[in-house]
DNA sequence: GTCGATAATAGGAACGATTCTCATTTTCAT
DNA sequence: ATGAAAATGAGAATCGTTCCTATTATCGAC
């Protein structure tokens, strides 16, 4: 049905690894594309009204992560949340609520992001560390928990 | 026995909450002060040669976290690692190895840190988020995994 | 379009990190 | 010393996640 540019990009990437874009996997990707921030397996299970069993959900997440479609994010209580990888969703950072664990995305303005990348460059130069990415986590209280 | 400045700071903070600095808790703090980076409950259990049972270890970690002595750090496979809180160990950031999961501390120069805090201020202002702290995570490959 | 090989699924059992329970022990202030 | 409050230890329970296995769906070759 719907066949967006995003889906074609993803299908192509999966095909490279002999991995199929099944309805369950497409549903997961749709949910994540619509979400405001990273979602856990349990949250996705609700988002999808239980139409994808938990065991399949976990397997889908693992497969999509291995294929580079999803990025994991490790939070409190051992909960792993996933979001679309940066090459699909665009580069962004995270606001993490210390009270409820919710994570929201923030996109920095070009000027601020440029300044941040400059900082990262300076840090890694002096630390002999081969940087591949960076993420600024701002901890605090979200609106609901304020 | 040993009664360092660090210990006195911690004892004072705990006393404020009617929390005792027992031998088990002191041992945990010593291990963490000597460690190069965050340690998990299982790692501390080994560090202490099992002299503190796991259930007590977890309780100690929870108490010390609640008292603001330790900061948690959530990693892969649902493992939580702890390190001394920033007011004890100094503000720093993390280099996370995407290959082996190791976490190393980096301290930014004053100038860079100031610039970063300025960025955080700008971000949170526009996001209506009550920021309490921030952490820059730089992902890449450590020397061993390069 | 059917066949066979390969990939994916669903359900439940198993696992491992963490948390909880509760009876016992330690500690502190008196 | 004594009683109240805090801490401990051993094991059971919890919960997110992973593993196992039998069944089902999908793709390419014919």
């Amino acid at each position: 049905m719907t066949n967006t540019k995003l889906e074609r990009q993803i299908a192509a990437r999966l095909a490279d690894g002999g991995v199929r874009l099944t309805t369950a996997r497409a549903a997961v990707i749709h949910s994540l594309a619509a979400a405001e921030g990273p979602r856990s397996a349990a949250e996705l299970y609700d988002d999808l009204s239980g139409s994808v069993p938990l065991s399949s959900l976990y397997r889908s997440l693992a497969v999509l992560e291995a294929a580079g479609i999803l990025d994991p994010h490790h939070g409190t209580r051992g909960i792993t949340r996933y979001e679309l990888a940066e090459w699909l969703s665009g580069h962004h950072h995270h606001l993490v609520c210390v009270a409820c664990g919710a994570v929201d995305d923030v996109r920095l303005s070009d000027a601020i992001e440029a300044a941040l990348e400059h900082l990262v460059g300076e840090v890694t130069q002096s630390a002999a560390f081969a940087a591949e990415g960076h993420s600024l986590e701002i901890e605090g209280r979200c609106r609901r928990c304020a």
Side-chain angles (χ1 to χ4, degrees), chain A:
Chain A
M1 299 293 173
T2 52
N3 194 8
T4 65
K5 185 164 108 191
L6 193 76
E7 278 169 358
R8 268 177 279 118
Q9 282 183 287
I10 291 173
R13 174 90 162 224
L14 287 174
D16 280 351
V19 176
R20 294 169 188 163
L21 181 50
T22 63
T23 56
R25 291 170 188 171
V28 167
I29 290 167
H30 269 114
S31 271
L32 289 176
E36 310 243 314
R39 307 287 283 160
S40 67
E43 289 163 351
L44 287 167
Y45 183 79
D46 286 348
D47 292 350
L48 300 171
S49 324
S51 65
V52 177
L54 270 178
S55 69
S56 302
L57 205 35
Y58 277 108
R59 228 172 340 89
S60 294
L61 292 170
V63 166
L64 293 173
E65 180 190 349
I69 309 296
L70 302 183
D71 281 345
H73 182 271
H74 304 287
T76 53
R77 286 205 46 124
I79 293 175
T80 303
R81 290 162 205 271
Y82 292 87
E83 59 185 350
L84 291 186
E86 299 220 321
W87 66 280
L88 293 166
S89 65
H91 181 55
H92 59 268
H93 298 276
H94 290 134
L95 300 176
V96 182
C97 179
V98 295
C100 70
V103 182
D104 277 313
D105 292 351
V106 228
R107 262 160 240 282
L108 305 189
S109 71
D110 289 351
I112 295 182
E113 180 62 38
L116 181 57
E117 299 203 356
H118 184 68
L119 294 187
V120 171
E122 289 191 57
V123 171
T124 51
Q125 226 170 25
S126 54
F129 185 86
E132 294 178 358
H134 65 271
S135 169
L136 179 61
E137 303 226 323
I138 301 179
E139 298 117 38
R141 297 187 161 261
C142 68
R143 242 154 303 183
R144 268 161 316 207
C145 299

